[in-house]
Every structure is written in C-alpha cells, then in structure tokens.
Amino acid sequence: MKKWLLLTIISAFALVLAACGGDKGSESESADEYTADKPLIIKFSHVTAIDSVKGKAADKFAELVKEKTEGKVKVEVYPSSQLYGDNDELDALVSGNVHMIAPSVTKMVKIDPRWQYVDMPFLFENEEHVQTFFNSEVATDLMNSDQLAANDIKGLAFWPNGFKHFSNNKHPLVTVDDFKGLKFRAQAGQVLEAQFKTLDAGSATIAFGETYAALQQGTVDGAENPYNNFDTMKFYEVQKYLSTSAHGRLDYAIFVNKSFWDSIPADLLTSVEEALDEATTYAQELAADENAKSLENVKASGVVEVYEMSQEERDALKEALQPVYDEFSETITPELIEGIEALKK
Ligand code: LMR
C-alpha cells in the first residue's frame, strides 16, 4: 500500500513537472516542432518607451528574429513596464516568467554590486571609451560571473544608451552648492545614494515607470537621465532645468533565463543569436544619434532651460564626487574600476 502511494505521488509529481516545464521548452524539442503558426515564443520585457533607444533596438531584434527563423521564433516585446517594472523584471527573469530583459545595468545590484561601476561619477570619458569597455575582457568577466549563473541568468550583450545629465525643478544646476537640499529620483543602489549625499542632496529609489508622476507631484525635485529617456518619457513636461553634466552612464545588458535559452533548438538558436548580434550593432549605431536628437527636441520644446556646463564646472563636480570612489572602490573592485580607467585612449 505504502509502495503504491509512493509511486502515485512520484507519477503525479512528474506530471506536474512536465506541465510546468511547458514555458521553458525542453531539451528534446527540435526546430521542426515550431512553425510560423506555432512559433517558439521569447518574451522580452523592458521599461522604456517604444521610440526610445532600447525600444527601437528591441523591436529591431524581434524583426530580425522573425526574418532569420522564417517566423518559427517570435519575440514578444513588452515595452513601457507594461508586463514588469523595475522592481519585478529581474525576479520574473529568474523564475522564467519572462525570458529576456535589457535592464539598465545598475538594476543588477540586487545580484552583484559590481554592476554599479556604471554609476561611478565621471568614470567614462566618451562613447568610444564605453564601446571599448563593452568589447573588453573586464566586461566579459562581469558577464560571465558566478553570481549570474547562480541565478540561472546568462548575459549576452551590452547595449548603450548614453551619458546621464541632472535635471530639477528649483533652479539651474551650475555649481556643487546648487544641489544642496534638493531631492532626486535614483534608480537603485548605494552608489547613487552616496552620489547625491556627497552633493548634500537627498534621493529616493523610484521605479522608472513612476518617475514622471513623482516629478509632477513633487515627491522629488530632480532626476538624472540620458537625453533620450528625458525626451521619450516626456520628463521635460515636469522638469524646468537641465544641465549637461554627463556625470555618469546609463547602459544596458541583455540577460536571458539560462534554462530557457539552453532549451532553444540549436539551429534556431544560431539564427536568434545572429539576430541579437545585428540588433546590438544597430543599438550601438543608434544610441549617440538618438541622444543628440533628443537634446534638440528638448531645447525646441521651449519649456526646459538647458544649461550647457563648461569643462571647469564639470571638473568641480568631479572633484566634489571623489568621496564616492573612496567609499565604493573596494565594492566595485579595483580590477573593474582600474580596468575601465585603463581603457581610456
Ligand atoms: C531608469 O530607471 O532610469 C532606467 O532603467 C531606464 C532605462 O533606460 O531602462
């Protein structure tokens, strides 16, 4: 009786596992099982607008996958936090509820604090420096970390957005003193918190999708964004002053659920990865231009006063933010910080 009961429990458990495995695919599946009418679905969630750098590159990826697999693989792109927002997209990836995300890398602080390299003030010199980093061994090591593997995450590519610039509603930000007493929206993590604290300002972690409302309602006075996010999220409607500080970066990495990815039949996977390579090149070619166009849009809107910071003013900000390095170099690791610095031309 006991043996029968045990066997019944084991069979029931196996059935439940088989049913749950549906969304993650199975190693025995072959490319023949998928057709344009019954495609393999890759769910790709992100938080920015459709016409943002990330939105355009994600749609390009979906288009290329369709073309290269003759519709046997369909990438369903969910933009604008409509499926998952900042707070839950990483958890959704780990649990397999979504297969692919492209977060601003700061958001990976939940898993590995080193991803906050991107927030270290004035670490990157220009776009070329960022691109050299993406192609470097230090970046590859970060992508291949045990921390990602332990969470069943695989990192596939870096996509750029751009340099972040400070904005606010109270007054132009020109000198270090101008930050005193203001409260800024921050993405996540202790480095950004320390950045604002060092400037005698406050900060609050607010999801990207809730930032417009927070600025509108005065929950926070200011924010830091690349021009393209400032433009495509219409933050110019709820901010009065923007300074061209270029004090930090906002870039993305493409992460997939590893179990799901490994279950994609080999020939389809080759085409999907080819599509990702091409979408990555597209994102790299697009980002700087889109950010430049967005700055023009913001200026043309006439509702935001854009202050062009001089090199001396940016240098003063850089010097004031040096304590962030004293506090966080060990956490981010000297290998990574010095590795990035060494890539400057
Ligand atoms: C943010 O929270 O500011 C970013 O995550 C937005 C983005 O570009 O993904």
Side-chain angles (χ1 to χ4, degrees):
M1 180 65 178
K2 269 190 184 160
K3 197 173 167 191
W4 172 84
L5 190 61
L6 187 66
L7 278 177
T8 308
I9 291 170
I10 290 173
S11 328
F13 192 54
L15 274 177
V16 169
L17 274 185
C20 293
D23 202 28
K24 285 198 168 189
S26 123
E27 304 217 337
S28 65
E29 274 163 348
S30 82
D32 300 342
E33 294 185 35
Y34 299 107
T35 63
D37 291 333
K38 196 176 152 286
L40 169 74
I41 306 285
I42 299 178
K43 286 189 189 170
F44 182 174
S45 173
H46 71 83
V47 301
T48 59
I50 294 177
D51 58 347
S52 64
V53 171
K54 181 160 60 181
K56 286 185 178 175
D59 288 348
K60 183 73 172 179
F61 171 62
E63 187 188 305
L64 288 165
V65 167
K66 184 176 176 192
E67 200 179 291
K68 287 178 189 292
T69 65
E70 292 165 345
K72 288 183 189 165
V73 179
K74 182 175 182 202
V75 180
E76 289 180 352
V77 181
Y78 297 91
S80 306
S81 311
Q82 66 181 232
L83 191 58
Y84 295 105
D86 277 339
N87 296 331
D88 45 13
E89 69 174 11
L90 190 53
D91 295 342
L93 183 74
V94 173
S95 62
N97 288 330
V98 72
H99 308 125
M100 189 167 199
I101 61 174
S104 155
V105 298
T106 315
K107 308 282 165 65
M108 299 309 282
V109 64
K110 277 185 181 176
I111 286 184
D112 180 350
R114 291 178 302 159
W115 286 96
Q116 294 173 105
Y117 77 84
V118 74
D119 297 318
M120 295 305 273
F122 297 95
L123 181 58
F124 289 96
E125 210 162 51
N126 50 31
E127 298 294 340
E128 197 190 347
H129 185 197
V130 175
Q131 190 55 48
T132 310
F133 164 66
F134 288 168
N135 298 334
S136 72
E137 226 170 88
V138 264
T140 307
D141 287 351
L142 192 57
M143 276 293 205
N144 294 334
S145 73
D146 294 343
Q147 290 91 327
L148 290 182
N151 284 281
D152 199 20
I153 295 176
K154 188 173 175 144
L156 295 181
F158 282 95
W159 285 2
N161 185 334
F163 283 93
K164 292 181 297 182
H165 310 274
F166 290 118
S167 62
N168 88 109
N169 268 328
K170 298 285 186 204
H171 46 244
L173 299 170
V174 181
T175 69
V176 174
D177 284 345
D178 294 329
F179 288 80
K180 212 177 190 143
L182 297 178
K183 191 166 177 190
F184 288 83
R185 177 265 169 171
Q187 292 183 68
Q190 291 181 327
V191 171
L192 290 180
E193 204 181 310
Q195 168 188 266
F196 290 114
K197 214 166 166 185
T198 306
L199 296 172
D200 280 331
S203 65
T205 300
I206 295 173
F208 189 59
E210 289 156 27
T211 300
Y212 183 101
L215 291 167
Q216 188 176 43
Q217 289 157 14
T219 314
V220 284
D221 307 302
E224 46 168 10
N225 286 283
Y227 299 131
N228 187 249
N229 282 2
F230 193 80
D231 177 27
T232 54
M233 290 300 279
K234 300 195 186 331
F235 290 153
Y236 55 82
E237 292 178 353
V238 288
Q239 289 283 263
K240 293 199 186 100
Y241 305 97
L242 175 70
S243 291
T244 60
S245 49
H247 60 280
R249 284 292 299 185
L250 194 154
D251 293 309
Y252 308 119
I254 305 295
F255 296 112
V256 292
N257 178 291
K258 188 172 179 311
S259 303
F260 170 81
W261 207 250
D262 291 346
S263 77
I264 300 177
D267 50 348
L268 291 180
L269 187 60
T270 303
S271 303
V272 170
E273 292 189 337
E274 252 176 51
L276 185 60
D277 281 350
E278 287 179 31
T280 299
T281 305
Y282 173 81
Q284 287 162 357
E285 287 169 358
L286 191 74
D289 280 356
E290 292 291 295
N291 273 290
K293 273 190 227 156
S294 283
L295 176 60
E296 291 316 309
N297 288 346
V298 170
K299 284 180 178 168
S301 74
V303 290
V304 175
E305 198 177 294
V306 178
Y307 180 77
E308 306 269 355
M309 290 188 91
S310 67
Q311 190 54 47
E312 290 71 32
E313 285 156 351
R314 292 183 63 240
D315 285 347
L317 208 49
K318 181 175 176 178
E319 202 183 318
L321 287 167
Q322 191 54 39
V324 178
Y325 281 82
D326 303 339
E327 196 177 344
F328 288 97
S329 288
E330 279 307 311
T331 309
I332 311 292
T333 72
E335 288 91 323
L336 190 49
I337 302 229
E338 285 161 24
I340 294 172
E341 276 168 347
L343 298 170
K344 276 183 202 166
K345 293 257 159 71

